Amino acid sequence: MMDILSASPWPIELVNSEVLLASSMTPIDQPQSQVEGVTLQTSECASECFLLKCPPVQNDTSTVASGHYFISWKRKSAFAETSVVRTMVILPHVMVENIPLYVHAGPFTPRMIMITTTIKF
């Protein structure tokens, strides 16, 4: 999840954003900007979330590189066209644990699913 907080005294327009994933990560769906066209005032924030899949862990725990996050933004002005700035943020390594999740679909009503998880300590 990316949280963007504006500390600018002027309104900031978020032009676009994108995620460049590390080779070990895979997107579950097609990642697209969820903040495109949003304008932030001082102290306002915007967030976007991407669903990713990482490789299975060899030992019970490991860390995996996520990738890079790019955001294009500009100062919003009514008087002149301002240039777009592209900022890159290196995403942190994430800790991955082996926690199997089992979904059991049984004789329940169609809208009900029982989720069972097994956690290994």
Side-chain angles (χ1 to χ4, degrees), residues 3-119:
D3 293 316
I4 305 149
L5 171 67
S6 175
S8 170
W10 303 283
I12 298 294
E13 180 183 347
L14 305 179
V15 177
N16 199 356
S17 66
E18 81 177 285
V19 174
L20 179 61
L21 297 175
S23 59
S24 59
M25 294 293 236
T26 329
I28 297 300
D29 52 4
Q30 184 60 36
Q32 59 185 23
S33 178
Q34 299 162 21
V35 296
E36 184 176 332
V38 171
T39 299
L40 297 177
Q41 304 296 329
T42 307
S43 299
E44 288 186 334
C45 68
S47 298
E48 61 183 331
C49 185
F50 300 100
L51 187 58
L52 308 176
K53 179 181 174 183
C54 65
V57 294
Q58 303 302 341
N59 308 349
D60 284 338
T61 304
S62 69
T63 58
V64 178
S66 303
H68 297 82
Y69 178 68
F70 295 90
I71 186 157
S72 299
W73 58 275
K74 65 180 181 176
R75 184 174 136 186
K76 191 156 184 152
S77 172
F79 300 109
E81 186 63 30
T82 56
S83 58
V84 174
V85 177
R86 183 173 162 104
T87 303
M88 181 201 63
V89 178
I90 299 172
L91 297 173
H93 282 62
V94 292
M95 183 174 281
V96 180
E97 295 178 345
N98 189 14
I99 302 175
L101 176 68
Y102 303 98
V103 176
H104 174 76
F108 304 110
T109 61
R111 293 184 182 174
M112 199 168 138
I113 295 178
M114 183 175 78
I115 298 177
T116 307
T117 183
T118 304
I119 301 174

